[in-house]
């Protein structure tokens, strides 16, 4: 467990440091955030045609309200935490890659819900918007990361216990899955 | 204790966490001045110890911490000093998440886990407050004020990283780490539930 946390914190610091570089901002974070705005707007226009996205800004032509998706709300940091946690935990690479693919979709899926909900909360009540934006959704997204990680950990094959003798060879009976 | 504990259904655990969150958030918000007081005290101690020449006093009002600096706002304001406020809620919203996770896990010795987690999270909250203060005086203030701090270009880069890490990563990740470390037996039962 100690090794896991040391590797996790190192990966977290390195990945977060990389994210802050101008190169990563230009080629990864900004396109990622613009895509998030586009996806969120595409979903919203299914029931509200007055909404459009421009870069990382989502705005309503009806109310004039607009939100800009900034660092902390684009899900990049949450994804970095998930990536660091899955890479740090001892597991086969196949499980890591599958977990990362499914986990990133799960985290970003909830992040789309966050962006859309904040967009409408902001038009309804600014105080509620601030509360949800600054505190509640931050905690919920991290809870999502934690739950995704727990679900992934559950799917991992059991590690052989050190010190135990190896299993006897099969004698014709089917092996337990 | 002996024997194998019952496995944990993850779905039920998540529902319990979601049920606890409104309660823990309400308590955290209403009791914030008391809850963040140790972190505010630590942030003040660090500010006085490391930046004593910049900080004259630190005052807490509710969940807001005001750093009264020795920096002058400019020649136009004779005798005035720069005061920087930090909203401690921004760096402590992980506390209600940690408490909700702990209460939902229903482990024996949960009060001890709460106490350990709280003590572990105080420095993380203080980090955010301190970095926010430094960011405000060294990065966000006018050139005239920032130049009085005497920070080098490298130190300003470190402050930016410390602030970003302390506001975007630590407040949410530190409670998750504290919870995992204080619930290792629970996590093992979560794993075995799938087998």
């Amino acid at each position: 467990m100690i090794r896991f946390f040391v590797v996790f914190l190192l990966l977290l610091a390195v990945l977060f440091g990389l994210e802050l570089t101008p190169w990563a901002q230009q080629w990864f974070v900004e396109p990622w955030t613009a895509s998030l705005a586009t996806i969120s707007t595409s979903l919203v226009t299914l029931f509200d045609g007055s909404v459009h996205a421009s870069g990382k800004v989502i705005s309503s032509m009806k109310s004039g309200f607009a939100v800009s998706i900034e660092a902390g709300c684009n899900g990049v940091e949450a994804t970095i935490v998930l990536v660091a946690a899955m890479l740090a935990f001892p597991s086969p690479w196949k499980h890591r890659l599958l977990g990362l693919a499914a986990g990133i979709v799960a985290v970003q899926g909830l992040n789309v819900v966050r962006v859309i909900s904040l967009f409408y909360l902001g038009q309804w009540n600014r105080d509620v918007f601030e509360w949800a934006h600054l505190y509640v959704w931050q905690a919920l997204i991290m809870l999502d990361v934690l739950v995704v990680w727990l679900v992934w950990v559950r799917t991992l094959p059991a590690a052989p216990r050190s010190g135990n003798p190896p299993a006897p060879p099969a004698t014709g009976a089917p092996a337990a899955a | 204790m002996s024997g194998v504990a019952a496995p944990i259904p993850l779905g039920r655990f998540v529902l319990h966490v979601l049920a606890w969150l409104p309660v823990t958030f309400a308590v955290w918000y209403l009791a914030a001045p008391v809850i963040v007081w140790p972190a505010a005290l630590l942030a003040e101690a660090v500010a006085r110890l490391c930046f004593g020449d910049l900080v004259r006093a630190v005052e807490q009002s509710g969940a807001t911490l005001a750093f009264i600096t020795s920096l002058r706002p400019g020649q136009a304001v004779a005798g005035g000093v720069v005061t920087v406020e930090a909203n401690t809620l921004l760096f402590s919203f992980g506390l209600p998440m940690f408490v909700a996770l702990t209460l939902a896990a229903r482990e024996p010795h949960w009060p001890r886990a709460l106490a350990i987690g709280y003590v572990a999270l105080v420095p993380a909250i203080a980090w955010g407050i301190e970095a926010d203060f430094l960011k405000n005086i060294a990065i966000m203030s006018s050139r005239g004020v920032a130049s009085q701090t005497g920070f080098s270009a490298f130190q300003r880069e470190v402050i930016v990283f410390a602030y970003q890490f302390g506001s975007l990563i630590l407040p949410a990740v530190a409670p998750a780490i504290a919870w995992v470390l204080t619930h290792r037996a629970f996590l093992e039962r979560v794993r075995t539930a799938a087998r």
Side-chain angles (χ1 to χ4, degrees):
Chain A
M1 191 58 103
I2 298 297
R3 181 191 168 277
F4 162 69
F5 273 109
V6 170
V7 175
F8 168 68
L9 290 173
L10 277 174
L11 281 172
L12 190 61
V14 169
L15 291 173
F16 185 65
L18 283 175
E19 186 218 339
L20 295 180
T21 61
W23 182 87
Q25 289 290 320
Q26 183 184 349
W27 294 103
F28 176 68
V29 177
E30 287 174 18
W32 174 295
T33 310
S35 302
L36 175 63
T38 304
I39 292 168
S40 303
T41 305
S42 304
L43 290 172
V44 168
T45 49
L46 293 175
F47 56 89
D48 186 351
S50 69
V51 179
H52 71 99
S54 174
K56 61 182 181 180
V57 177
I58 303 175
S59 51
S60 167
M61 287 181 281
K62 200 162 59 185
S63 67
F65 181 80
V67 291
S68 175
I69 305 172
E70 299 293 338
C73 287
N74 54 14
V76 173
E77 289 77 20
T79 302
I80 284 174
V81 173
L82 184 71
V83 170
M86 285 188 175
L87 291 183
F89 200 82
S91 60
W93 271 103
K94 181 183 154 194
H95 285 78
R96 277 195 183 125
L97 295 175
L98 284 172
L100 284 172
I104 289 170
V105 169
V107 170
Q108 289 304 317
L110 189 65
N111 204 46
V112 168
V113 176
R114 160 161 75 170
V115 169
I116 294 174
S117 71
L118 289 175
F119 179 67
Y120 283 101
L121 280 176
Q123 294 176 71
W124 173 59
N125 185 304
R126 196 56 66 94
D127 290 334
V128 175
F129 167 82
E130 288 296 333
W131 232 82
H133 172 223
L134 297 175
Y135 314 128
V136 178
W137 266 117
Q138 303 275 44
L140 287 178
I141 291 291
M142 192 45 59
L143 181 63
D144 186 30
V145 171
L146 182 62
V147 170
V148 165
W149 183 75
L150 287 175
V151 170
W152 173 74
V153 163
R154 278 172 61 146
T155 65
L156 295 177
R161 291 182 182 275
S162 57
N164 282 3
T171 55
Chain B
M1 280 202 316
S2 63
V4 178
I8 308 288
L10 196 53
R12 198 171 67 189
F13 167 67
V14 174
L15 286 178
H16 283 157
V17 175
L18 293 176
W20 273 114
L21 271 179
V23 180
T24 56
F25 259 107
V27 172
W28 163 76
Y29 186 70
L30 294 172
V34 178
I35 291 172
V36 300
W37 177 72
L41 215 59
L42 181 58
E44 177 179 356
V46 172
R48 287 187 182 280
L49 199 67
C50 303
F51 313 104
D53 52 332
L54 298 177
V55 181
R56 280 187 180 173
V58 182
E59 295 172 359
Q60 184 182 353
S61 171
T64 303
L65 209 60
F67 291 83
I68 298 146
T69 73
S70 57
L71 304 170
R72 294 181 306 279
Q75 291 175 341
V77 189
V81 290
V82 173
T83 300
V84 175
E85 290 191 342
N87 176 8
T88 60
L89 297 178
L90 289 174
F91 311 105
S92 62
F93 64 79
L95 276 172
M97 187 178 83
F98 172 78
V99 176
L101 285 165
T102 302
L103 295 178
R106 293 176 169 187
E107 288 285 270
H109 313 300
W110 60 267
R112 192 178 64 180
L114 282 182
I116 293 171
Y118 178 69
V119 170
L121 292 179
V122 162
I125 299 167
W127 173 311
I129 295 169
E130 200 72 43
D132 186 52
F133 159 67
L134 292 173
K135 180 258 304 179
N136 277 319
I137 60 168
I139 313 294
M140 303 299 287
S141 60
S142 67
R143 184 175 291 184
V145 172
S147 64
Q148 296 172 53
T149 61
F151 289 123
S152 66
F154 176 74
Q155 286 172 321
R156 286 159 59 90
E157 289 294 326
V158 172
I159 288 170
V160 169
F161 183 84
Y163 170 72
Q164 300 271 26
F165 196 78
S167 61
L168 295 175
I169 298 286
L170 264 188
V173 173
I177 293 175
W179 183 78
V180 168
L181 282 174
T182 51
H183 290 78
R184 284 192 269 184
F186 176 85
L187 291 174
E188 194 51 44
R189 296 211 302 284
V190 167
R191 285 192 70 172
T192 55
R195 306 202 169 95

